[in-house]
Amino acid sequence: MKLARFLVAIALITLLSACAHTGAPPPEQAPTLDRTAALRAIRDAGRDMDSAVQVQPLRDAAIDGYAQQSREAEARNDYAGAAILLDKALKLAPDAPDLLQSRAEIDIAQGDFVAAEKNALQSFKLGPRVGSLCARNWQTVAQARTGMGDAATAQQAGLRLKECRVAAPVRM
């Protein structure tokens, strides 16, 4: 009798342990992105653009003032302050592609990769789609996607950088 109970207990324990739920697997960790290096790569993409076409906006001095103050805040590593100042500038000029791109870069610095991609794509949509701004747009998308752990889309965005280059016309 004792042996039968013992065998039943062993069988139940074995059965229950086979059915035990060990919990969900830990979520896959997105690769960490060196945000300072990402910001440098974005800006370098714009600086290294040898396109024959570059577009520079003309606008209200107040907007330029906010943009300048934002750059100064960023230089102090005050990304929250820089974001607030850019948001003020964007309230005055919500469709300014260069301001949207600057905001995307601050989003990268703050680790908000979804907002960075959204702002960079909106900047591309509203911008000239060539030159240094275009290069910064696609480099931002590439960095944001890297930060989100999406290497395939990051690679595709990196390939789009080539489309930003416009060769100078041949002059005879």
Side-chain angles (χ1 to χ4, degrees):
M1 183 83 143
K2 286 185 180 182
L3 182 61
R5 284 185 190 166
F6 178 74
L7 291 175
V8 169
I10 295 292
L12 282 173
I13 291 172
T14 304
L15 182 62
L16 290 175
S17 67
C19 296
H21 181 42
T22 59
E28 196 171 303
Q29 195 78 322
T32 56
L33 180 71
D34 180 345
R35 292 182 266 174
T36 303
L39 203 51
R40 192 174 326 114
I42 292 165
R43 301 225 168 113
D44 286 348
R47 265 191 294 279
D48 295 342
M49 181 56 53
D50 61 355
S51 177
V53 177
Q54 297 293 337
V55 179
Q56 301 298 326
L58 297 174
R59 67 169 148 248
D60 186 300
I63 297 167
D64 286 336
Y66 285 133
Q68 178 59 39
Q69 290 173 2
S70 174
R71 286 189 294 274
E72 292 166 3
E74 181 188 344
R76 296 187 307 270
N77 292 323
D78 177 10
Y79 298 116
I84 289 167
L85 290 160
L86 280 172
D87 289 343
K88 287 180 180 182
L90 282 164
K91 281 185 181 179
L92 298 173
D95 293 334
D98 61 319
L99 294 177
L100 286 163
Q101 177 56 35
S102 293
R103 186 62 174 96
E105 292 169 12
I106 295 300
D107 292 332
I108 288 285
Q110 292 181 308
D112 188 347
F113 304 125
V114 172
E117 179 181 46
K118 176 183 167 269
N119 284 322
L121 290 173
Q122 183 67 8
S123 173
F124 178 77
K125 178 182 168 191
L126 296 170
R129 300 182 187 193
V130 295
S132 63
L133 183 61
C134 173
R136 287 169 50 210
N137 295 150
W138 287 114
Q139 187 65 38
T140 300
V141 172
Q143 294 297 330
R145 282 298 174 158
T146 298
M148 288 186 256
D150 183 356
T153 306
Q155 183 180 16
Q156 289 299 316
L159 294 173
R160 297 285 308 260
L161 283 166
K162 295 175 188 172
E163 298 171 15
C164 297
R165 216 168 243 110
V166 176
V170 177
R171 304 201 185 249
M172 301 223 182

